[in-house]
Amino acid sequence: MHPKSALFQARRIPMLAAYGRRSSRRAPVIEQHLQRLPLAGFNHHAAVRLWPYLRPGQTLFLCRERSNPVDPKAVSITWLGEHLGYLPRTDNMLAAGLLETGAEVIARIHALRESEDPWERIDLDVFLTRKR
């Protein structure tokens, strides 16, 4: 296998290994759009460092952060294991409630903007996903 091929590169990085696999038996996934929200905490987490690598359409993973001292319903946003920020405290009740029930909730980057205001840098679309 050629060392520059995508499959070879994905196998070398365990976190990306699943991207290199091809499966013909994947169950179709249904995504239900829930909200469009800005990313909170842009300047305080890895989003600043990872900004050059982020693209519209990329999938981000959401996880409840129960131990957060500021927000008891905090929903953390990660990409490739890096913490980018949070869903805004004022709008995270829906996603937090779904995550509490074990539902799979993801986000996708809707838009990226060069702006001085960190609340305008990344817009997210939040989706409830389930297999058909």
Side-chain angles (χ1 to χ4, degrees), residues 69-81:
V70 177
D71 181 9
K73 294 286 186 184
V75 177
S76 175
I77 301 171
T78 60
W79 179 62
L80 297 178

Side-chain angles (χ1 to χ4, degrees), residues 39 41-54 82-85 114-115 118 121-122:
L39 176 79
F42 178 87
N43 288 341
H44 305 290
H45 303 285
V48 173
R49 180 172 46 87
L50 297 173
W51 176 257
Y53 307 104
L54 298 175
E82 296 279 351
H83 183 184
L84 299 179
E114 293 285 343
S115 173
R121 299 293 300 258
I122 301 176

Side-chain angles (χ1 to χ4, degrees), residues 26-38:
R26 286 190 184 160
V29 175
I30 299 169
E31 293 182 348
Q32 180 182 356
H33 186 263
L34 301 174
Q35 296 174 290
R36 181 166 294 154
L37 303 168

